[in-house]
């Protein structure tokens, strides 16, 4: 069996032909260069067509992941970082250049957990959750061997978890969890702390330019603002993970995304925090791990999605 996996991000398209052993037989990468709408769709179609023609053999299925929502009933997608993709007919676009080949589309967070289940830290698991911490926060959930969608295909929008009382209007834009513990949130908390301290510059740059990368670098230097911001994030990661463990009783919680990375060194502290909040039996039987296929989870997961269709 041979399938195509497509990882569609905000800046590029990565697509590859996989065999059933997860070996990449052929790969194509195409930069979006800011393209949106039909132009971005044409680039996806061009990439898929090139793979099919260059490979030359039979393709049994195509799986694709999008950075947003994949509507399972319509085949359309919402991808907020691709202009014009609010209800874009991605499935139809791919089917046009791959007639007769089944096409399946899921959110990136769902493909993350499928990638880990096939070739990564969740291999052999029927119940596992991938917490993706990057610009935002989302979770891919594998439950009793199945991926779950919900009524509107928005399962896993964990950035909106309510973890801090009382409510703050600052949570309106991205949710409470993301506000404190996403990559954007960590940078925001550092900038707020610097502003409150009356700094115009900090860590050798204007406060407005501080990002999560700076916070991690200064944490290692013992900077009190960086330590305070990341301690809060660790608390939030532990609480959020504990809620997911209590709800779903997974075998493994896997942290990935751009922040893990540098935050993987905090895994023991995150688990210790989660132990305070989670269902005790479930917490004693779950493993907290960093992604084993970091950077490739979405592409591998998209291929796994295609394989699972058979």
């Amino acid at each position: 069996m041979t399938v195509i996996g497509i990882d569609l991000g905000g800046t590029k398209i990565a697509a590859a032909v996989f065999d059933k052993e997860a070996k990449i037989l052929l790969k194509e990468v195409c930069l979006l260069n800011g393209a949106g709408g039909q132009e971005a769709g044409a680039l996806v179609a061009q990439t898929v067509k090139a793979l099919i023609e260059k490979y030359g053999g039979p393709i049994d299925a195509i799986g694709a992941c999008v950075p947003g929502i994949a509507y399972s009933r319509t085949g359309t997608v919402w991808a907020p970082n691709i202009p014009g993709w609010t209800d874009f007919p991605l499935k139809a676009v791919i089917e046009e250049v791959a007639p007769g080949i089944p096409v399946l589309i899921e959110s990136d967070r769902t493909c993350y957990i499928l990638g880990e289940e096939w070739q990564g830290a969740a291999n052999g698991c029927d119940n596992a959750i991938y917490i993706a911490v990057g610009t935002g926060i989302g979770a891919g959930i594998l439950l009793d061997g199945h991926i779950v969608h919900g009524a509107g295909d928005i399962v896993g929008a964990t950035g909106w978890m309510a973890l801090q009382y009382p409510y703050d209007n600052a949570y309106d834009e991205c949710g409470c969890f993301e506000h404190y513990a996403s990559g954007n949130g960590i940078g925001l908390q550092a900038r707020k702390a610097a502003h409150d301290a009356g700094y115009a510059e900090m860590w050798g740059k204007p406060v407005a330019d501080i990002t999560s990368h700076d916070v991690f670098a200064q944490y290692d230097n013992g900077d009190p603002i960086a330590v305070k911001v990341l301690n809060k994030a660790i608390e939030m990661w532990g609480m959020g993970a504990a809620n997911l463990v209590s709800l779903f009783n997974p075998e493994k919680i896997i942290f990935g995304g751009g922040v893990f990375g540098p935050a993987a060194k905090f895994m023991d502290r995150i688990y210790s925090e989660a132990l305070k909040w989670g269902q005790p039996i479930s917490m004693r039987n779950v493993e907290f791990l960093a992604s084993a296929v970091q950077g490739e989870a979405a592409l591998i997961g998209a291929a796994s999605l295609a394989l699972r269709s058979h």
Side-chain angles (χ1 to χ4, degrees), residues 87 166 189 224 271:
D87 193 24
Q189 296 307 315
Y271 179 71

Side-chain angles (χ1 to χ4, degrees), residues 8-306:
L8 180 58
T11 60
K12 69 178 181 180
I13 305 157
V17 178
F18 287 79
D19 67 15
K20 64 181 181 180
E21 306 301 329
K23 181 182 178 181
I24 293 179
L25 307 177
L26 190 64
K27 187 174 182 179
E28 292 275 325
V29 176
C30 175
L31 296 179
L32 287 175
N33 291 322
Q38 294 294 335
E39 183 184 1
L43 290 173
V44 174
Q46 172 187 310
T47 303
V48 172
K49 185 177 180 181
L51 270 182
I52 292 172
E53 290 177 351
K54 289 180 181 179
Y55 176 63
I59 300 295
D60 295 289
I62 297 172
C65 79
V66 293
I69 301 170
Y71 296 110
S72 57
R73 293 172 182 82
T74 64
T76 60
V77 302
W78 172 75
N81 53 357
I82 301 178
W85 278 33
T86 55
D87 193 24
F88 187 77
L90 182 60
K91 184 175 182 180
V93 166
I94 297 173
E95 287 176 336
E96 188 171 348
V97 294
I101 302 175
V103 175
L104 300 97
I105 304 172
E106 290 287 354
S107 69
D108 50 1
R109 54 184 176 252
T110 292
C111 286
Y112 292 149
I113 188 58
L114 290 180
E116 294 289 345
E117 184 267 340
W118 190 26
Q119 292 295 318
N123 185 250
C125 293
D126 286 329
N127 296 275
I129 298 172
Y130 186 109
I131 302 177
V133 186
T135 303
I137 301 178
I141 301 169
L142 183 71
L143 192 61
D144 294 335
H146 302 284
I147 51 177
V148 292
H149 294 95
D153 296 293
I154 314 176
V155 159
T158 45
W160 296 90
M161 276 187 175
L163 301 176
Q164 181 79 29
Y165 185 85
Y167 186 79
D168 188 318
N169 290 336
Y171 305 158
D172 288 354
E173 184 176 349
C174 63
C176 173
F177 194 7
E178 279 193 17
H179 181 72
Y180 291 101
S182 66
N184 279 356
I186 289 167
L188 172 64
Q189 296 307 315
R191 294 191 296 273
K192 285 175 62 178
H195 181 269
D196 291 346
Y199 299 148
E201 292 190 1
M202 186 171 71
W203 305 336
K205 62 170 59 179
V207 165
D209 295 340
I210 288 171
T211 69
S212 62
H213 299 286
D214 301 308
V215 180
F216 280 103
Q218 294 301 322
Y219 179 92
D220 292 335
N221 295 330
D223 182 272
I225 287 179
V227 169
K228 180 179 178 181
V229 169
L230 285 178
N231 282 348
K232 182 64 174 181
I234 290 165
E235 177 184 286
M236 289 285 180
W237 292 326
M239 292 173 69
N243 287 343
L244 292 171
V245 170
S246 298
L247 283 169
F248 297 112
N249 186 208
E251 299 158 75
K252 295 182 180 180
I253 292 281
I254 298 160
F255 282 88
V259 172
F260 282 83
K265 62 188 175 186
F266 300 131
M267 199 65 68
D268 288 344
R269 289 182 59 192
I270 295 167
Y271 179 71
S272 294
E273 182 66 34
L275 277 173
K276 303 173 187 176
W277 301 94
Q279 203 285 333
I281 299 173
S282 294
M283 283 303 309
R284 287 196 298 271
N285 289 291
V286 67
E287 283 188 89
F288 279 33
L289 301 166
S291 169
V293 286
Q294 182 76 290
E296 295 294 325
L299 182 61
I300 295 170
S304 174
L305 175 68

